[in-house]
Amino acid sequence: MVRGHTQRHRPAFTLVELLVVIAIIAILIGLLLPAVQSARESARVMQCKANLRQIALGCSQYLGAQGTYPGTGGWYEHTGDASEGLGPAQRGGWLYSLLPYIERVTLFSVDEGLSGAAKATAQRSRIGTVVSIYVCPTRGSPFVQRTWFGQTPLTRSDYAACNAGTGPGVFAVPGFTRDYQITDGFSNVFLVGERYINPDQYFGGPTTMRTVDQGWTVGSDQDTMSRCSALSQLNFWEPTRDTPGLSSEIANGFPVSRNGVAFGGPHALLHMAMCDGSIQSFSYDINLTVYSLLGGMADGGGFDGPE
């Protein structure tokens, strides 16, 4: 006699159970995403600090070899030119002059020995070249859809040298500064730091904008220099976190408070390289008197204020 086989059926998930599982997964993803984003930003902050450290090291090596910090170059509308060397005749900016000291000699000299159209082509190529340690990873691509010197797109720098203001003992470095001129102490003076950029202008923007219109090779300009207000101008150039819609324009000959050529960045804290090569982090609410004194190299102040 043949016995029939009985089939054993596993119970299926009910619709309610399936919805509960989906809801739990969604909650877990919602809890996990902020942690992942925080971890990623922490990694980007570490990279940004590493960039500043390499730039500061390059400045130190330049100082050791040339006897001064790199020059800030000619006024705006001048790009780097290898034929002008590394001295006062160089009209390109300090980031350009720094290239031989951050292992980018070939990029520095790409136009060497050329003239006319060939030279201009080489210089345009350099303006459009990314130097990785000049780029903040949080801001993303450094390509800016702007035309300058015939080059589109140009590449920006996210870091700037400290320009404290005007008058003896106020300008900080770089700028053909010699080490003995930094009387406030190397650990008490800003060297370079993150610069403020309106996020709406990271990759281009209005034709009137000036903070990212000529790229990293330009001479003394907002693309490569930021200000730390002199004591008489504490309401100008306050450090500011990147803020969409906050203008970066000029008004009445001075940048409006909290923009223009101010230091700033996309991170929760502002990161600055000091003249001793250390990287310090500051709240955007830092006391402006202390902040101003850190920007000057011979004003008798530092972290503890005037002596």
Side-chain angles (χ1 to χ4, degrees), residues 167-244:
V170 179
F171 275 98
V173 287
F176 292 121
T177 300
R178 298 184 182 276
D179 53 4
Y180 63 78
Q181 294 176 281
I182 306 175
T183 59
D184 287 352
F186 278 49
S187 63
N188 286 325
V189 177
F190 291 146
L191 177 63
V192 299
E194 299 172 304
R195 68 190 188 99
Y196 175 82
I197 302 177
N198 178 349
D200 300 331
Q201 299 178 350
Y202 283 173
F203 315 114
T207 57
T208 55
M209 75 178 198
R210 296 178 174 88
T211 49
V212 287
D213 64 342
Q214 296 183 34
W216 63 269
T217 69
V218 69
S220 183
D221 188 65
Q222 294 183 67
D223 288 66
T224 59
M225 302 287 291
S226 290
R227 286 187 182 273
C228 182
S229 305
L231 288 174
S232 61
Q233 299 173 326
L234 290 184
N235 291 329
F236 290 94
W237 309 304
E238 301 173 34
T240 306
R241 189 171 185 179
D242 290 359
T243 306

